[in-house]
Amino acid sequence: MKSNAKAFLAFSLGIILLAIAISTNQFELIQEIITEITKSAKAAIPVP
Amino acid sequence: MAWHKKPKTNLTKLRLLRTFVQFIMFILMNLTFFLIGATWLVLPVNMPRSIFSSSEGAFFLLQRMLTMAIIPLIPLAVFFLFGAILGRFFCAWACPFGLFQDILGYLSSWIRKYEPTRETNLSLRQIGEFITGATLLFSTFIGINVALGETATVEAFDVFVDQPWAVLSPSAFLFTAIPLLFWWGGIENFFIWDKFVLIDIIFWLRLFIFIFAIIVVIYIPRGWCRWFCPVGIIMGELGKNSLLGIGRNISKCNHCGFCEDVCPMGIRILSHPAEKVRSQQCTNCLDCVAVCPEDAMEIKFL
Ligand code: SF4
Ligand code: SF4
Ligand code: SF4
């Protein structure tokens, strides 16, 4: 039971973090970051 | 003894199923290859962003956000939510670098495997803990300098300023550097020395770590996952108490030890509480469930 309590605690923390992320539009932000990382991945090795 | 359940057959079937699921997940994470754009999907797996990927591994995104001085709410939420419910489930069923290690394991199945002692397992795990801690501290340090506008300090760290661990991680080498080399030079140029030497010292360091990882995995099943992967370290801590887990029905168990023999993570299952395997290493791969001749191993939730 003690382990389940820890799991529920971690789950609640995850939900709280997700709620703050949604309310601060962090999903849009990470989509921008991900697009930008893809571009920089392509540019990582210079074409000789 | 009556091994009426043919444990080996069950195990082969399960491993085939798992490999199939891993392949499907790998394709789903690399949809950009099929010209489908980036998504905001963030998963607790060791998948760095490559030119093909349409999702992001939580630990790589976590570093990126820290170095940009953004509080990484989404990667942390992903760790906590998946870790609390499923534990390291994604390690067995979805992680592309896990799949790579499994394939290496199948290909090298004729080589005798080593099973390190519990003490060795624990002490080598400290290297992974160090990698995780150092990456997070360094990323935060960069983030603070970015926030304070200390560009000179930030630029001094050169390639390490975006995603520090991605520079050295073998999964980043496999999924980012190798496709890039082919994309950049084409297969016919791959081995031409003149072009190869344009790549700096970091490239050779990455190659060295990558080869080291391959050697470890050939001799110790899922060796990278056991000790060095930061996602495994974080998810393992949460997975110890996850709701999903594997339990052992002691009234059925005859202590034959088959489950321990097949466990890819080398877990001493019989020394864990029967209620649930409480190991940081358990990936819920279900090999032990498939192999148990007495049907004593069970999937448990809650
Ligand atoms: S521990 Fe292994 S399977 Fe899990 S995320 Fe890391 S590399 Fe992937
Ligand atoms: S759980 Fe099953 S495989 Fe493991 S020792 Fe008991 S009977 Fe054998
Ligand atoms: S204990 Fe069972 S489910 Fe967990 S890693 Fe080992 S074989 Fe897989």
Side-chain angles (χ1 to χ4, degrees):
Chain A
M1 280 307 117
K2 213 168 139 235
S3 292
N4 281 349
K6 283 183 192 163
F8 282 119
L9 194 66
F11 182 75
S12 317
L13 197 55
I15 292 287
I16 293 169
L17 290 169
L18 193 65
I20 305 174
I22 292 169
S23 62
T24 54
N25 285 339
Q26 216 178 68
F27 275 101
E28 281 170 32
L29 184 71
I30 66 161
Q31 203 165 0
E32 278 168 34
I33 295 174
I34 289 175
T35 312
E36 193 249 321
I37 302 173
T38 311
K39 276 195 213 137
S40 61
K42 280 184 181 156
I45 297 181
V47 176
Chain B
M1 282 184 275
W3 303 135
H4 55 281
K5 292 281 193 280
K6 294 199 192 121
K8 286 252 154 86
T9 325
N10 283 352
L11 185 63
T12 312
K13 277 190 204 155
L14 179 87
R15 285 189 173 166
L16 277 174
L17 172 71
R18 201 170 62 237
T19 311
F20 176 73
V21 175
Q22 285 168 308
F23 263 115
I24 298 289
M25 291 303 290
F26 180 67
I27 290 170
L28 287 180
M29 286 178 210
N30 286 282
L31 288 177
T32 310
F33 187 73
F34 305 102
L35 303 177
I36 296 169
T39 65
W40 42 258
L41 198 60
V42 181
L43 295 172
V45 294
N46 192 349
M47 179 70 200
R49 177 131 289 263
S50 79
I51 51 175
F52 301 132
S53 51
S54 45
S55 63
E56 180 79 15
F59 191 70
F60 287 99
L61 185 64
L62 181 76
Q63 295 166 60
R64 178 68 181 167
M65 294 176 88
L66 282 175
T67 57
M68 291 171 82
I70 302 167
I71 301 171
L73 296 169
I74 292 173
L76 288 176
V78 164
F79 280 133
F80 280 111
L81 289 176
F82 284 113
I85 303 172
L86 300 174
R88 284 178 76 174
F89 179 83
F90 277 78
C91 285
W93 294 86
C95 174
F97 200 64
L99 172 65
F100 173 71
Q101 291 176 73
D102 286 348
I103 293 172
L104 275 181
Y106 298 142
L107 293 179
S108 64
S109 51
W110 50 277
I111 295 177
R112 207 172 81 88
K113 309 291 175 203
Y114 290 97
E115 192 44 66
T117 60
R118 197 183 125 78
E119 288 67 35
T120 316
N121 270 316
L122 285 175
S123 39
L124 285 172
R125 208 177 142 78
Q126 289 175 350
I127 300 177
E129 286 165 3
F130 173 78
I131 293 173
T132 313
T135 307
L136 295 181
L137 278 178
F138 182 74
S139 304
T140 311
F141 167 76
I142 295 290
I144 291 172
N145 279 289
V146 166
L148 296 175
E150 301 279 349
T151 33
T153 317
V154 175
E155 279 164 13
F157 291 99
D158 197 26
V159 289
F160 290 94
V161 295
D162 284 343
Q163 292 175 304
W165 177 237
V167 178
L168 302 174
S169 158
S171 74
F173 186 83
L174 176 68
F175 296 115
T176 309
I178 291 180
L180 266 175
L181 278 173
F182 281 92
W183 181 79
W184 157 58
I187 189 147
E188 67 278 13
N189 291 334
F190 193 79
F191 294 105
I192 296 177
W193 179 254
D194 278 1
K195 292 189 177 173
F196 226 30
V197 288
L198 282 176
I199 301 161
D200 56 7
I201 178 77
I202 299 285
F203 176 85
W204 298 109
L205 190 58
R206 297 176 94 182
L207 184 65
F208 174 79
I209 296 175
F210 182 62
I211 292 171
F212 167 75
I214 289 181
I215 295 171
V216 169
V217 171
I218 285 177
Y219 288 100
I220 294 137
R222 287 282 184 125
W224 193 264
C225 300
R226 290 188 192 199
W227 305 318
F228 307 124
C229 174
V231 183
I233 297 287
I234 297 172
M235 294 300 280
E237 285 310 318
L238 291 159
K240 260 194 314 191
N241 304 306
S242 64
L243 298 181
L244 180 76
I246 308 293
R248 185 167 51 96
N249 185 334
I250 33 174
S251 61
K252 289 186 185 172
C253 174
N254 65 12
H255 294 83
C256 66
F258 279 9
C259 48
E260 293 190 348
D261 293 346
V262 297
C263 177
M265 304 300 283
I267 300 168
R268 300 292 98 201
I269 296 170
L270 300 182
S271 60
H272 278 262
E275 177 215 347
K276 245 184 209 174
V277 174
R278 296 274 175 219
S279 166
Q280 291 134 321
Q281 303 283 27
C282 180
T283 60
N284 293 322
C285 69
L286 307 184
D287 279 8
C288 53
V289 177
V291 86
C292 177
E294 303 294 337
D295 282 342
M297 297 301 287
E298 305 165 333
I299 302 169
K300 290 228 172 142
F301 196 77
L302 285 176

